[in-house]
Structure formats: C-alpha cells, structure tokens
Amino acid sequence: MAKVLWAIIAVAACIVMAESLKCKTCSVGLLGSCLQSSEQNCTGSEDRCFTGKAEFDVSGALSFETSGCLASSSCVNSTGTILGVGFTITRTCCSTDLCNAASTTHLPITTALSAALLVSVWASGMF
C-alpha cells in the first residue's frame, strides 16, 4: 500500500512540474545587461513571465532591469518618486515558457559597478 501511495505522489509531482511555467530570471540588470541570469519554474499564483525596467526621469540613461515570474495581477506599470527624482516602472508580461528570454550580455561585476558609477556621475552633471 505504501508503494502505491509513493507512486501516486511521484506521478502527481511530475505532472505539477511539467505544467509549471518556465521563465528567464535576472535579479539585477544594468545598462541593458543582466549581471546573472538563470531559468526558474514559476510556482503558486505566478502565472506569467515578465521583464521589468525602472527608468529614472533625471537622465533617461540610468535604468535597472529585472525578469522572472509574476502573478498576472502584478503586470502593471507604475510611477513614483525617490528623493525627489521621478521614476517609471514598466513590466511586460507573457505566458509561454521562456517568453521573456531577451538576449543578455553577462558583465563582470566590477565592469557593471564601474558603469553604474560613471552613469551616476554623468547624470549629476559633473561631466
């Protein structure tokens, strides 16, 4: 009886894994490049893959990107301010496996941080 129960659990787990949506993930992207990407299976209410971009109004050149799994109810754009600087967050969602797989270039962390520093100095008007 225990073997039958384990077999049913194993089959159910395989079905759930086969039906989950697979998305590209990027925790932090900077200047159009993902610092480290991977793939993940979405879980629970996360029924969409997304790519998100936060752009600051101050320069237009500084933006951060992210991607992964998201609930369809969160696939909305938003605006706000941080320390008096306006920003816009744009989320683009899709619902097929790896549909958010934009081509990314992996940068060494020192290169990415140097680029971020250069952009922030440039945006402040020092150059």
Side-chain angles (χ1 to χ4, degrees), residues 69-92:
C69 298
L70 192 66
S72 59
S73 60
S74 298
C75 292
V76 295
N77 298 333
S78 57
T79 59
T81 59
I82 296 177
L83 300 173
V85 177
F87 66 88
T88 302
I89 297 175
T90 306
R91 291 180 191 93
T92 304

Side-chain angles (χ1 to χ4, degrees), residues 30-31 62 107-122:
L30 186 62
L31 303 172
L62 181 59
L107 295 174
I109 191 74
T110 53
T111 304
L113 291 175
S114 298
L117 180 61
L118 179 63
V119 168
S120 67
V121 169
W122 174 76

Side-chain angles (χ1 to χ4, degrees), residues 32-81:
S33 297
C34 183
L35 300 179
Q36 183 170 357
S37 66
S38 62
E39 295 178 5
Q40 82 175 90
N41 289 318
C42 301
T43 59
S45 64
E46 297 175 326
D47 58 350
R48 298 286 188 263
C49 295
F50 84 98
T51 54
K53 186 174 189 177
E55 295 180 286
F56 292 91
D57 298 342
V58 77
S59 69
L62 181 59
S63 65
F64 298 96
E65 296 85 19
T66 185
S67 61
C69 298
L70 192 66
S72 59
S73 60
S74 298
C75 292
V76 295
N77 298 333
S78 57
T79 59
T81 59

